[in-house]
Amino acid sequence: MKRTHGQMSESLLLGGLLAVAGGFFDAYTYVCRGGVFANAQTGNIVLLGLELAERQWLRALTYLLPILAFALGVMVAVRVKQRGQASHGRMHWRQVIVLAEIVILAGTAFLPQQMNMLVTILISLVCAMQAETFRKVRGSAFATTMCTGNLRSGVEQLMIWRQTGNPDAARKMRRYSAVILFFILGGALGALCTDLLGERALLLTCAPLLAVFAIMFIREEAEE
């Protein structure tokens, strides 16, 4: 079997670090930025529909803007990937995305309460960039900014393992469970740190992202 050297971008370690940041984002925005969740946009889409039904146009805009920011984040990540693959620079295009996340989050942490809508928009942008950039762990589809898909896939692999004894299904189930637990850990840390530090707590999310950036300079053997 041929072996090649690939990026660490699909390792469980990176998935766990990114999930910690993802859980922190949600706890942070919920605790001190208006009681909203900036990671997944399903809730915003539902609330947008409710506000439109009630003809609350300005309130509808507060839900539309994070949705548009999320869409923009996906487009930015796709464009960075295309340019990175074409240029073959020394820094991997995923590292460029992580650096952009760190810069945006560091600036967002200093925005006052009066700018909570902008904060939600910026974190939605960051979450979209991360979700589009890091989509797999060990070849399986994962999300590090939300848990619904991970929970569904984890339970599915649990059932396959219980019914067939397939060790690969067991490994996948453990990986999904680990990422969910890391997300919960991030949420707990986000709540505790935000209570202590307020708006500046968002700066702490730069730590796992800096670790991700550094680890991606390491190449691991990947089976081909």
Side-chain angles (χ1 to χ4, degrees):
M1 180 174 289
K2 182 181 178 182
R3 286 191 174 277
T4 61
H5 290 281
Q7 276 282 343
M8 290 279 287
S9 57
E10 293 189 11
S11 68
L12 182 58
L13 174 59
L14 259 68
L17 289 169
L18 292 166
V20 168
F24 199 114
F25 296 151
D26 258 352
Y28 174 81
T29 55
Y30 186 82
V31 171
C32 81
R33 293 296 190 174
V36 299
F37 295 114
N39 287 6
Q41 297 303 312
T42 302
N44 287 335
I45 291 171
V46 172
L47 292 171
L48 171 63
L50 292 175
E51 299 298 351
L52 291 175
E54 296 178 2
R55 299 182 181 180
Q56 299 292 330
W57 313 121
L58 288 178
R59 284 165 56 183
L61 186 62
T62 65
Y63 297 109
L64 176 62
L65 290 177
I67 296 169
L68 295 177
F70 194 92
L72 177 61
V74 173
M75 290 188 284
V76 168
V78 170
R79 184 58 178 159
V80 171
K81 177 181 179 180
Q82 292 171 341
R83 291 177 64 88
Q85 291 177 333
S87 64
H88 301 289
R90 295 183 64 182
M91 186 183 298
H92 195 277
W93 67 269
R94 288 190 175 93
Q95 291 174 295
V96 175
I97 292 291
V98 173
L99 274 182
E101 286 189 57
I102 292 169
V103 171
I104 293 170
L105 292 168
T108 301
F110 292 93
L111 295 178
Q113 285 288 315
Q114 293 81 0
M115 302 181 72
N116 280 352
M117 175 50 61
L118 178 59
V119 171
T120 302
I121 290 170
L122 291 173
I123 294 180
S124 294
L125 177 73
V126 165
C127 290
M129 292 165 60
Q130 182 170 307
E132 178 63 23
T133 302
F134 299 93
R135 302 171 60 178
K136 292 183 179 182
V137 171
R138 297 299 186 193
S140 298
F142 274 76
T144 60
T145 59
M146 58 200 79
C147 283
T148 304
N150 296 338
L151 180 60
R152 180 202 64 79
S153 297
V155 173
E156 178 184 51
Q157 295 301 319
L158 172 63
M159 294 302 297
I160 294 173
W161 172 59
R162 290 290 301 274
Q163 292 170 0
T164 67
N166 186 336
D168 186 53
R171 283 191 292 270
K172 289 180 180 179
M173 181 267 294
R174 288 193 293 269
R175 290 170 191 155
Y176 282 113
S177 300
V179 172
I180 292 171
L181 289 175
F182 278 118
F183 192 92
I184 294 171
L185 173 62
L189 290 173
L192 292 172
C193 294
T194 303
D195 280 339
L196 291 173
L197 303 175
E199 293 84 358
R200 302 294 188 272
L202 188 62
L203 290 171
L204 298 178
T205 60
C206 296
L209 293 176
L210 282 170
V212 167
F213 176 80
I215 291 170
M216 287 185 66
F217 280 111
I218 303 171
R219 304 239 172 211
E220 67 170 356
E221 287 193 345
E223 292 183 358
E224 186 176 82

